[in-house]
C-alpha cells in the first residue's frame, strides 16, 4: 500500500506547454534569436528552464553568457504569464481529492525553479495540502538526479516501498529508479508511451484514476 505519491509537474499535473513555449519565444525574440513553433516545445522541456533555453537557442549560441541573458528574460516574462494558458489535466483535481480521502499524501517534484512551482500549486490547487512542493533550487542537481526525491522524503518521511513516483518522461522514470521507488509513467503528458516504456516504467497509465489502483 502506498502512503505517498510524488508527482512531476509539467506534463503530469498541469499542461504548461503553451505558457512555457510563449515565454521562451518571447525571450528569444527579445535577444534577436529565431523562435520556434509550439509543436517543437514538448521535446525541449523536462530538464529545467536552463536546459529549455539552451535547447531553444541556435547551437552556435549556447555559451553561458548568452544562456544567462536569455534565461533572465525568460523568467521575467514567465513570472508574469505562467497562468495564461496553463490548466490541470482532466481528472487531476479529482485524483488529488481522492488520494487525500484515502490518507495518501501527495508531493510535487519539478525541475522548474521553485518559486514558479509554488505559485502554480497555490493558484491551481489552493485546497490541496501537499506534503511537499519542491522545485529546482540553486546548487542542487536537477532530475534525474534523485536529490529532490530525497528532499521530499526528508520533509515527509515515508518508507520507499510505500512511495509511488508519477511523471510523463524518461527523466521522471530514471529519477524514480535512482531513488529506488516505484515509478508510474503517464501517457497524457509531453512525451510518448514509447519513451516511458523504453525507460522501463514500472507502470504506465492513461487516466489519472488509474493511479488510485496503484496505491492499494
Amino acid at each position: 500500500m502506498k502512503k505517498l505519491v510524488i508527482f512531476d509537474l509539467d506534463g503530469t499535473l498541469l499542461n504548461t506547454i503553451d505558457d512555457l513555449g510563449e515565454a521562451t519565444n518571447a525571450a528569444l525574440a527579445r535577444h534577436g534569436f529565431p523562435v520556434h513553433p509550439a509543436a517543437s516545445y514538448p521535446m525541449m522541456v523536462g530538464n529545467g528552464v536552463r536546459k529549455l533555453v539552451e535547447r531553444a537557442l541556435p547551437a552556435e549560441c549556447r555559451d553561458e553568457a548568452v544562456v544567462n541573458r536569455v534565461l533572465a528574460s525568460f523568467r521575467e516574462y514567465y513570472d508574469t504569464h505562467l497562468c495564461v494558458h496553463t490548466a490541470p489535466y482532466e481528472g487531476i483535481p479529482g485524483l488529488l481529492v481522492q488520494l487525500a480521502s484515502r490518507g495518501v499524501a501527495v508531493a510535487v517534484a519539478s525541475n522548474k525553479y521553485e518559486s514558479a512551482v509554488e505559485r502554480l500549486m497555490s493558484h491551481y490547487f489552493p485546497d490541496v495540502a501537499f506534503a511537499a512542493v519542491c522545485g529546482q533550487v540553486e546548487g542542487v542537481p536537477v532530475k534525474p538526479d534523485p536529490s529532490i526525491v530525497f528532499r521530499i522524503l526528508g520533509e515527509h518521511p515515508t518508507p520507499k516501498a510505500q512511495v509511488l513516483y508519477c511523471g510523463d518522461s524518461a527523466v521522471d522514470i530514471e529519477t524514480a529508479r535512482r531513488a529506488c521507488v516505484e515509478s508510474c509513467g503517464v501517457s497524457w503528458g509531453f512525451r510518448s508511451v514509447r519513451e516511458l516504456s523504453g525507460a522501463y516504467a514500472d507502470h504506465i497509465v492513461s487516466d489519472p484514476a488509474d493511479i488510485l489502483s496503484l496505491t492499494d
Side-chain angles (χ1 to χ4, degrees):
M1 187 174 186
K2 302 303 181 187
K3 291 295 186 181
L4 172 65
V5 179
I6 301 173
F7 290 97
D8 170 54
L9 173 55
D10 301 274
T12 302
L13 293 178
L14 297 175
N15 185 349
T16 57
I17 200 66
D18 288 340
D19 286 334
L20 288 170
E22 288 187 2
T24 308
N25 280 344
L28 291 170
R30 180 173 179 178
H31 294 274
F33 294 111
V35 300
H36 301 277
S40 298
Y41 279 104
M43 293 305 294
M44 293 190 197
V45 300
N47 297 89
V49 294
R50 171 173 288 274
K51 182 59 69 174
L52 167 60
V53 167
E54 288 179 3
R55 289 168 174 161
L57 282 165
E60 67 276 12
C61 301
R62 294 173 180 172
D63 61 271
E64 185 176 5
V66 173
V67 171
N68 286 342
R69 288 196 296 270
V70 178
L71 179 59
S73 295
F74 170 93
R75 290 189 58 157
E76 180 181 345
Y77 185 96
Y78 190 67
D79 281 343
T80 56
H81 296 82
L82 75 174
C83 298
V84 177
H85 304 291
T86 291
Y89 286 100
E90 184 176 356
I92 287 296
L95 169 65
L96 298 178
V97 169
Q98 290 183 71
L99 287 170
S101 71
R102 295 183 176 200
V104 179
V106 293
V108 177
S110 176
N111 274 342
K112 180 176 287 170
Y113 56 98
E114 190 158 282
S115 62
V117 175
E118 292 171 342
R119 289 178 59 196
L120 287 165
M121 291 302 96
S122 63
H123 180 84
Y124 289 103
F125 307 110
D127 299 324
V128 177
F130 288 100
V133 173
C134 299
Q136 182 268 328
V137 294
E138 199 67 33
V140 178
V142 297
K143 300 182 294 184
D145 185 282
S147 295
I148 194 167
V149 174
F150 299 151
R151 176 183 165 193
I152 290 170
L153 295 180
E155 294 185 22
H156 189 83
T158 308
K160 289 185 179 182
Q162 296 178 357
V163 177
L164 180 68
Y165 182 106
C166 299
D168 71 308
S169 73
V171 169
D172 294 303
I173 304 308
E174 177 68 8
T175 302
R177 187 190 69 78
R178 293 188 187 187
C180 299
V181 300
E182 195 169 338
S183 64
C184 174
V186 305
S187 67
W188 55 81
F190 303 154
R191 301 298 178 87
S192 66
V193 169
R194 181 177 180 180
E195 177 174 313
L196 296 169
S197 298
Y200 303 103
D202 294 315
H203 311 276
I204 299 176
V205 299
S206 58
D207 188 297
D210 295 336
I211 293 173
L212 285 173
S213 64
L214 300 179
T215 65
D216 293 334

